[in-house]
Amino acid sequence: MTTDEKWMTLALELARKGIDRTSPNPCVGAVIVKGGKILGKGWHKQAGRPHAEIEAIRDAKRNGVTSFKHATMYVTLEPCCTHGRTPPCTEAIIGGGFKRVVIGATDPNPHHAGRAFKILRQAGIEVTHGVLAKESEELNRAFNHWIVTGKPWVIAKAALTLDGALTTKSGRRTQITAADAQRDAHKLRAISDAILIGAETLRIDHPRLTVRGVKTVKQPLRVVVTRSGKLPGKSPLFTDANRESTLVYRNQSWNRILRDLGKRGVTRLLVEGGGEIHNQLAKKKLVDEVVLYYAPLMANRKDLPHADALRKLPLADATLTMVGKDLKLQGIVRR
């Protein structure tokens, strides 16, 4: 590991602290180093709050640093160079008198990509980019997809029997997986901006679609897709304390639904079914990532709902892990 990779690894660790906090902004971490010692470090904590670079500069000043001459800033994402909710970070870096800036990933926004490199170099600052670029890009996979396409990154999540059934009984959904897998699924909810289900799942399960049992700074939007519009008015989605965060899309195309969610700042959409919804999205090639929890049991019934199209999606970077008694398969859909 090179010196640059060492400090970028620390910046990535800081950036990961914002995984469930920064949307619709990306997760970013920054470290300021001089003479092999850390002067300051920071991470972006929430949209609208200071960016990681500013947090690191402020941290250094709290530590008594008065000059950044000969200092290097390591940041996981190309610094912003335009006015948004906050001033451009390039201005703060130039004003601080940094000697060098090391960057992980390039800004995926085609209107900004690479501009900061030029601005910083014109100010006499040495710029190195592409250090741990893959890791930096993967950290913000959902944001990168959203900023380029205007649509959220779609994660299809399902709990299945070994033969692919979504339930073991007709007419109602049953808990297939054990407590450890259910808790793991709630962690997935916690980092999602919205959770989507179909009308039939709402009628059968009466789900709450909230994060429970794990820490979260927000509850995701709840999204219901329906053809008829006939939904149970007494459902928790329409009566609980989070009812204002429930969205219903009736007879709308998937493209329109995803674009509208994108406009609402949904960068990561978790789809929890049921089988028809999963199969529709899979066949239309709208699923970006798959998370399947397999319980150690067989349904042995073809009349039950299955997610066959979802299970047939080709995956890249797939991982298999045991979560308690259940098996978790996770991977990116290969295009």
Side-chain angles (χ1 to χ4, degrees):
M1 180 183 289
T2 67
T3 299
D4 283 348
E5 289 173 341
K6 170 188 172 182
W7 296 120
M8 190 62 73
T9 297
L10 176 56
L12 281 164
E13 290 176 4
L14 291 166
R16 291 187 184 101
K17 293 183 178 183
I19 285 177
D20 62 342
R21 297 169 177 267
T22 64
S23 186
N25 283 3
C27 299
V28 184
V31 180
I32 300 172
V33 179
K34 182 179 179 180
K37 296 182 179 180
I38 297 174
L39 301 184
K41 54 188 178 179
W43 53 284
H44 184 42
K45 296 180 174 64
Q46 186 178 354
R49 293 185 62 177
H51 290 183
E53 299 93 322
I54 307 305
E55 292 281 10
I57 290 172
R58 290 178 178 178
D59 183 54
K61 290 181 177 179
R62 285 193 295 269
N63 293 333
V65 177
T66 57
S67 171
F68 295 106
K69 187 178 180 181
H70 303 303
T72 297
M73 175 180 284
Y74 292 85
V75 59
T76 57
L77 181 65
E78 178 182 350
C80 63
C81 58
T82 57
H83 281 273
R85 296 188 189 183
T86 58
C89 289
T90 49
E91 290 184 0
I93 293 170
I94 294 169
F98 285 86
K99 175 185 178 182
R100 182 172 179 243
V101 176
V102 181
I103 298 164
T106 302
D107 188 336
N109 188 331
H111 298 295
H112 301 158
R115 285 184 60 191
F117 305 158
K118 183 178 180 180
I119 291 171
L120 294 174
R121 284 169 177 151
Q122 286 177 339
I125 298 173
E126 179 186 345
V127 177
T128 301
H129 63 90
V131 176
L132 298 187
K134 181 181 179 182
E135 293 86 344
S136 299
E137 290 166 2
E138 289 176 351
L139 175 65
N140 289 305
R141 184 181 282 123
F143 169 81
N144 296 346
H145 177 82
W146 172 74
I147 202 70
V148 173
T149 68
K151 300 177 184 179
W153 178 263
V154 176
I155 305 170
K157 183 227 99 178
L160 307 169
T161 61
L162 292 177
D163 51 347
L166 288 160
T167 183
T168 56
K169 295 182 180 180
S170 300
R172 65 188 178 95
R173 193 66 53 85
T174 55
Q175 289 284 6
I176 293 177
T177 53
D180 288 337
Q182 292 170 29
R183 177 180 170 81
D184 192 73
H186 275 276
K187 291 180 181 178
L188 194 57
R189 285 184 175 185
I191 64 171
S192 300
D193 299 312
I195 306 169
L196 183 147
I197 60 171
E200 191 64 16
T201 297
L202 179 64
R203 298 186 191 104
I204 293 173
D205 292 353
H206 298 287
R208 286 179 282 174
L209 302 185
T210 54
V211 180
R212 302 184 299 278
V214 298
K215 290 183 178 180
T216 184
V217 296
K218 61 175 175 47
Q219 289 292 343
L221 294 173
R222 289 95 61 93
V223 182
V224 182
V225 177
T226 175
R227 284 190 291 266
S228 68
K230 296 179 181 178
L231 303 173
K234 293 183 179 180
S235 164
L237 271 62
F238 306 122
T239 58
D240 67 11
N242 299 303
R243 58 186 177 275
E244 297 299 324
S245 66
T246 299
L247 303 174
V248 176
Y249 292 95
R250 181 183 178 186
N251 278 333
Q252 294 192 32
S253 70
W254 282 113
N255 184 63
R256 187 169 181 177
I257 291 170
L258 294 178
R259 288 204 173 279
D260 186 68
L261 289 173
K263 290 178 181 178
R264 294 173 183 269
V266 175
T267 63
R268 187 182 283 107
L269 174 65
L270 180 63
V271 179
E272 295 198 357
E276 183 180 355
I277 296 294
H278 280 315
N279 290 330
Q280 282 182 22
L281 288 168
K283 289 177 181 178
K284 291 181 178 294
K285 298 182 179 181
L286 295 174
V287 176
D288 301 299
E289 184 174 354
V290 171
V291 180
L292 301 179
Y293 297 93
Y294 283 96
L297 57 97
M298 300 285 285
N300 293 318
R301 288 179 55 179
K302 293 183 179 181
D303 62 318
L304 297 174
H306 288 63
D308 292 333
L310 189 63
R311 294 198 301 150
K312 293 177 182 178
L313 289 173
L315 301 181
D317 300 323
T319 59
L320 280 171
T321 55
M322 292 302 298
V323 182
K325 298 178 180 179
D326 303 305
L327 180 66
K328 178 183 179 182
L329 169 64
Q330 184 169 4
I332 308 302
V333 177
R334 188 169 59 247
R335 300 303 183 193

